[in-house]
Amino acid sequence: MAGLFDAPLPDFVNAASPRVAAGLGTIAKIVASGEPIYRAPLSFGDAEERVRTCWHPYHDMLADLIRGTIALFGTCLLIDCHSMPSPGPATSGPPNRNAFKQADFVLGDLHGTACGQRVTRFVERRLIDLGYTVRRNEPYAGGFITRHYGRPRDRVHVLQIEISRDLYMDELAIERLPRFAAIRNDVGTLVEWLARDALELMIG
């Protein structure tokens, strides 16, 4: 965490985890490509206020939604959806897109521990049917939400879905590509399919 805060952190703060060491803790220091987020160090008071006013209310509400969904349907499927940056070349020399092209979608279920395999296979199959390349758990197996809430034995299934940004945006210009509407429609179609079949996939 060196460089993120303007003073040493209190002893109760977990500053030794691998994610914190990589600059990707609760308050990230860098973006995925390694560039720093902040021009100047933060005060711990500012960080603590963000956790109190944003992080805790978000997770309190999410936990309530999960409990309410289980009470109503007997089970719950949580989709944790993200965008992922396009990869750079894996090796030096002339570009070879086959050497570093990542999948269009990456499904993270913590290697089968956070979400039932029937659900993961269903989403994978439907995305392939829509014409996309799909990878499981590589390079994203799941983050905090997947780890913390994904408990299929307790009827809570969590699937993280990463969508490659180069499908729908110019990452340098931060502008939509012409395919944006098509990607949006396909994701909407996937959600419709899940809404129709998720209950049977989880408890059927």
Side-chain angles (χ1 to χ4, degrees):
M1 294 293 281
L4 178 57
F5 293 103
D6 60 7
L9 296 174
D11 291 340
F12 66 81
V13 174
N14 176 13
S17 76
R19 286 188 62 80
V20 170
L24 299 170
T26 301
I27 296 179
K29 181 172 72 173
I30 60 173
V31 295
S33 54
E35 290 89 356
I37 295 173
Y38 302 99
R39 292 190 178 93
L42 302 175
S43 73
F44 180 71
D46 286 343
E48 195 172 34
E49 179 73 1
R50 293 185 196 183
V51 171
R52 185 182 67 81
T53 60
C54 299
W55 194 90
H56 281 301
Y58 173 87
H59 285 282
D60 289 345
M61 179 61 72
L62 184 55
D64 285 344
L65 287 170
I66 290 171
R67 283 191 291 268
T69 301
I70 292 174
L72 189 61
F73 296 102
T75 187
C76 175
L77 172 61
L78 170 60
I79 299 297
D80 185 24
C81 203
H82 299 259
S83 68
M84 58 183 175
S86 303
T91 59
S92 59
N96 176 5
R97 287 200 60 79
N98 292 331
F100 62 85
K101 172 61 178 172
Q102 68 184 11
D104 297 322
F105 286 79
V106 174
L107 307 181
D109 62 4
L110 293 180
H111 303 281
T113 64
C115 185
Q117 286 296 292
R118 293 181 68 194
V119 175
T120 304
R121 284 195 299 268
F122 177 89
V123 173
E124 180 181 50
R125 184 69 257 167
R126 293 300 176 267
L127 287 171
I128 291 172
D129 290 345
L130 288 168
Y132 298 104
T133 58
V134 183
R135 189 173 296 161
R136 289 199 206 181
N137 296 305
E138 178 62 40
Y140 306 104
F144 175 81
I145 287 177
T146 318
R147 296 193 309 271
H148 185 71
Y149 295 103
R151 302 183 303 276
R153 290 183 180 179
D154 295 329
R155 300 170 293 166
V156 181
H157 301 254
V158 181
L159 182 64
Q160 179 176 289
I161 301 179
E162 297 275 355
I163 307 173
S164 184
R165 292 174 195 156
D166 65 358
L167 288 175
Y168 61 87
M169 69 178 288
D170 181 322
E171 294 173 82
L172 293 178
I174 318 294
E175 294 177 350
R176 295 178 180 179
L177 295 176
R179 284 192 69 196
F180 179 89
I183 302 299
R184 179 179 58 193
N185 290 340
D186 285 347
V187 171
T189 297
L190 176 65
V191 171
E192 291 176 3
W193 285 336
L194 276 171
R196 181 194 65 200
D197 294 336
L199 194 61
E200 181 180 349
L201 291 167
M202 290 185 289
I203 64 176

